[in-house]
Amino acid sequence: MSFWSHVLDALLALVHILSDRLLEFILGWYLGDHKRVPGPPSVEQQSLLSKSAVDLAQQIRERKIRSYDIVKAYCERIDSVNRDLNAVVDGPFPEALDQAREIDRRLAKKEYTDEDFRRQPFLGVPFSTKDSTAVAGKLHTLGLLSRKSERSSTDAECVRLMKESGAIIIATSNVPEVNKWIESRNMLIGGTNNPYDLRRSVGGSSGGEAALIAACCTGFGLGTDIGGSIRIPAFNCGVFGHKPSSGAVNMSGCTFRTGKEKDTMVCAGPMSRSARDLLPMMQVLIEPSLKAKLKLDEQVDLKRLRYFYVASNGMAQCNPINKETERVMYKIRKHFENLTGKDVRHADIPNTKITGKMWRYWMTQEPANFNLLLGNGAELNPFVELFKKILGQSDYSMAAIYGLIDSVLPKEKEKLIREATAKCKKSVQDLLGDDGVLFFHSSPRTAPFHFYPLIKFNDFAYFSLFNVLHLPATQVPMGLDSKGLPLGIQVVSNPNNDRLCLAVAEELERTFGGWVPPFPLKQ
Ligand SMILES: *[C@@H]1O[C@H](CO)[C@@H](O)[C@H](O)[C@H]1NC(C)=O
Ligand SMILES: *[C@@H]1O[C@H](CO)[C@@H](O)[C@H](O)[C@H]1NC(C)=O
């Protein structure tokens, strides 16, 4: 690099740092005092509500706790903290208590065989899903005023599979309009607040889900991810989330998909407080035809994997990686170097600096028309909608208006982007092979204040790269920064090697502690 390009880079970093500080200052002043979600009222409730889904399942099976008690506890927890979080669209569902009571009754009578337990690994465990994923009989608004009382008649395939695994649906959670933004705010429900600092963004689009999981309002949850929609909220709210390999989960019923679409960047996946929940959830969710390919049951020898990291995506539009975030990567590298006795090598991946453009292009190739979705079937005129917004007469959030305007801006150059994507993809595939794992920053900084992304939104390219490349990626919480906000890392592998990401996520949880409650723990 020449001298002048170094100078330019330094200037750019300075502009980013100054604008970041300025936004934090102004929005912090506007949004008032720092408040966190309150903790459960007793030590017993705290211990019950903060368990992992696999631990809940085991204790229900062994009749150490009753499914009824845990469903009731989560429903009460939602009732007591949703005013702070504003995360729920529909629920808590009273019939969940009846389902739990029936499970407890059958458990007491020993009516379940070992085979039943094997088929229903989450028997009696409460779960939730984002509103855009259909649940029979429940609201299915996609955050649109025009759909405020629309209910779904069927379950999305992933919801059906979760129910079949014995899990009990207790609520649906907030999303940005038609899932297409990195905050979870709309004109129907409003904005969802971050449990660690109610003034801050939960991310999007599975933001209601991440807030509920982090604040111990549900056992675990379902997200979907087309540009980071599982991982952004999981990062902002300090929980785990896994975006599976493309095609691994049937998308039928998620944002009106049929499940027959080919070559889509979107995938449904698990979100949880513990890394140990992700693999059994994946076993429930994956396409039967992919069981042999994904080999989720196969043991992973962490000492024999090859580990790589990337220090920055090099995108001029992104904030520079801050010191506390850099420190996370350093700690992880040191840990895996100690574990394997080999270097965690820096990876040079071409074209990550145009991730924003690549993702924007590939979004136009999706088998979905986001403008029609937003109009609930009617074509919206971006200029009319912008004008209405300015007059305060719009049914849409500013983020949705951005999306509409973006659709009439010049398109990306097709040939250039396709070539750039192919080169990037080949380089990662060659590098990682069948035993490589890549550590990639989640974001250059921790959860921003509400509205910050309306001004600086490009940081999400750290997530969307792996939608562009169709690679599995696990979001792992890595403790809190000096402001008490969740830090994190993404763990990435080649297609269908999800089990490597999940095994590494479990190792990171064992070593660094995983989810940290957003409230002070009662002793
Ligand atoms: C996904 O599930 C739907 C509904 O059950 C089904 O119609 C569709 O064929 C499935 N897709 C695939 C690829 O199996
Ligand atoms: C390296 O690993 C050993 C055990 O294998 C452990 O005792 C030691 O504390 C580790 N060092 C670091 C820096 O993590």
Side-chain angles (χ1 to χ4, degrees):
M1 247 200 282
S2 77
F3 171 73
W4 287 111
S5 76
H6 277 299
V7 171
L8 214 60
D9 279 355
L11 273 177
L12 194 64
L14 192 66
V15 169
H16 274 303
I17 291 166
L18 290 177
S19 56
D20 179 74
R21 294 268 162 89
L22 190 66
L23 276 173
E24 281 282 310
F25 178 77
I26 294 171
L27 291 170
W29 168 79
Y30 173 72
L31 293 164
D33 293 336
H34 179 187
K35 280 196 219 81
R36 294 189 279 179
V37 72
S42 66
V43 180
E44 294 74 37
Q45 288 280 306
Q46 176 180 285
S47 141
L48 188 66
L49 293 167
S50 58
K51 286 191 198 319
S52 68
V54 288
D55 287 345
L56 285 172
Q58 184 180 354
Q59 297 199 7
I60 291 169
R61 253 192 323 266
E62 293 171 354
R63 297 185 54 220
K64 292 193 174 125
I65 52 178
R66 293 192 305 167
S67 172
Y68 180 86
D69 292 336
I70 182 71
V71 171
K72 184 155 174 283
Y74 280 127
C75 292
E76 285 174 0
R77 174 80 178 147
I78 290 177
D79 285 334
S80 81
V81 298
N82 192 51
R83 212 170 345 143
D84 293 322
L85 299 176
N86 195 34
V88 171
V89 176
D90 203 0
F93 306 132
E95 70 271 26
L97 287 166
D98 303 331
Q99 291 164 21
R101 211 183 274 116
E102 174 62 12
I103 289 169
D104 289 328
R105 189 191 63 77
R106 294 188 59 192
L107 278 166
K109 291 194 156 174
K110 302 209 175 356
E111 284 182 16
Y112 293 103
T113 62
D114 284 349
E115 173 59 17
D116 291 333
F117 286 141
R118 201 190 53 73
R119 279 193 311 105
Q120 301 195 289
F122 293 115
L123 187 68
V125 182
F127 82 105
S128 45
T129 176
K130 67 198 297 192
D131 157 288
S132 55
T133 295
V135 181
K138 304 305 176 195
L139 288 177
H140 191 30
T141 69
L142 281 74
L144 300 174
L145 278 175
S146 56
R147 293 184 58 84
K148 71 170 184 281
S149 38
E150 294 284 333
R151 285 170 189 278
S152 173
S153 56
T154 51
D155 283 328
E157 184 64 7
C158 55
V159 169
R160 189 187 70 76
L161 290 167
M162 286 298 289
K163 287 182 175 176
E164 212 173 76
S165 80
I168 301 174
I169 182 95
I170 57 165
T172 65
S173 61
N174 201 24
V175 293
E177 290 129 323
V178 307
N179 281 346
K180 215 188 154 196
W181 187 240
I182 48 181
E183 290 196 83
S184 297
R185 183 182 308 110
N186 55 60
M187 306 296 274
L188 182 61
I189 305 291
T192 299
N193 301 320
N194 193 309
Y196 292 83
D197 179 346
L198 300 176
R199 303 169 299 175
R200 290 186 185 269
S201 176
V202 288
S205 63
S206 314
E209 212 41 46
L212 290 181
I213 295 166
C216 297
C217 293
T218 180
F220 56 159
L222 279 176
T224 55
D225 190 321
I226 199 168
S229 280
I230 288 175
R231 294 160 291 148
I232 300 166
F235 167 71
N236 281 18
C237 299
V239 298
F240 290 85
H242 180 65
K243 181 194 89 68
S245 299
S246 284
V249 181
N250 186 326
M251 293 302 292
S252 166
C254 301
T255 334
F256 305 134
R257 296 273 174 125
T258 63
K260 290 176 181 139
E261 295 86 359
K262 297 250 180 294
D263 291 330
T264 169
M265 295 194 286
V266 73
C267 199
M271 299 173 75
S272 62
R273 276 183 299 274
S274 171
R276 293 176 299 122
D277 294 338
L278 299 174
L279 186 104
M281 267 187 96
M282 282 298 289
Q283 279 165 325
V284 166
L285 294 174
I286 58 168
E287 284 277 351
S289 60
L290 284 176
K291 289 229 154 87
K293 226 184 207 167
L294 284 156
K295 295 182 277 194
L296 291 174
D297 300 321
E298 199 172 279
Q299 277 286 308
V300 174
D301 186 350
L302 291 168
K303 291 192 174 150
R304 285 166 164 253
L305 298 183
R306 295 175 304 125
Y307 298 91
F308 301 90
Y309 79 102
V310 167
S312 155
N313 70 0
M315 229 175 102
Q317 301 91 328
C318 290
N319 279 310
I321 304 287
N322 72 17
K323 284 277 171 283
E324 289 183 274
T325 303
E326 268 177 2
R327 175 88 198 138
V328 167
M329 187 67 91
Y330 180 79
K331 284 194 318 197
I332 293 173
R333 281 167 53 201
K334 288 299 137 197
H335 175 72
F336 282 91
E337 285 176 357
N338 193 14
L339 188 76
T340 59
K342 294 197 196 84
D343 278 353
V344 172
R345 279 179 32 220
H346 189 266
D348 272 316
I349 302 172
N351 301 332
T352 58
K353 65 175 182 294
I354 57 161
T355 304
K357 285 170 174 292
M358 293 198 283
W359 185 76
R360 185 166 176 265
Y361 167 76
W362 287 108
M363 278 300 275
T364 65
Q365 305 299 300
E366 281 293 316
N369 181 331
F370 290 95
N371 291 10
L372 279 183
L373 278 176
L374 204 57
N376 197 24
E379 189 85 55
L380 298 176
N381 181 316
F383 302 104
V384 172
E385 293 306 323
L386 177 62
F387 190 63
K388 282 198 201 158
K389 186 77 193 168
I390 292 166
L391 297 181
Q393 301 293 315
S394 178
D395 283 353
Y396 301 101
S397 72
M398 198 60 213
I401 306 288
Y402 276 20
L404 284 171
I405 294 172
D406 182 59
S407 68
V408 291
L409 295 179
K411 302 264 177 286
E412 302 298 337
K413 296 189 179 70
E414 177 153 51
K415 185 159 174 291
L416 187 134
I417 298 291
R418 282 182 174 263
E419 281 170 13
T421 308
K423 191 169 167 207
C424 183
K425 199 167 185 166
K426 169 127 190 13
S427 143
V428 177
Q429 285 190 345
D430 292 349
L431 181 77
L432 297 183
D434 220 19
D435 61 347
V437 166
L438 175 67
F439 295 113
F440 204 83
H441 285 298
S442 303
S443 169
R445 48 153 299 156
T446 49
F449 282 120
H450 287 304
F451 312 115
Y452 176 114
L454 287 173
I455 297 160
K456 286 182 79 125
F457 51 81
N458 282 296
D459 288 352
F460 86 99
Y462 275 87
F463 297 98
S464 62
L465 178 65
F466 302 110
N467 301 89
V468 168
L469 301 179
H470 292 243
L471 300 178
T474 310
Q475 174 58 40
V476 178
M478 286 290 299
L480 306 182
D481 73 356
S482 51
K483 290 181 177 152
L485 299 171
L487 291 156
I489 195 81
Q490 291 184 90
V491 184
V492 181
S493 74
N494 260 336
N496 303 322
N497 279 341
D498 300 52
R499 68 181 181 287
L500 306 186
C501 305
L502 300 176
V504 170
E506 287 187 40
E507 172 69 8
L508 289 170
E509 179 179 49
R510 276 192 297 272
T511 310
F512 298 104
W515 169 75
V516 180
F519 39 81
L521 279 181
K522 290 201 169 60
Q523 302 292 335

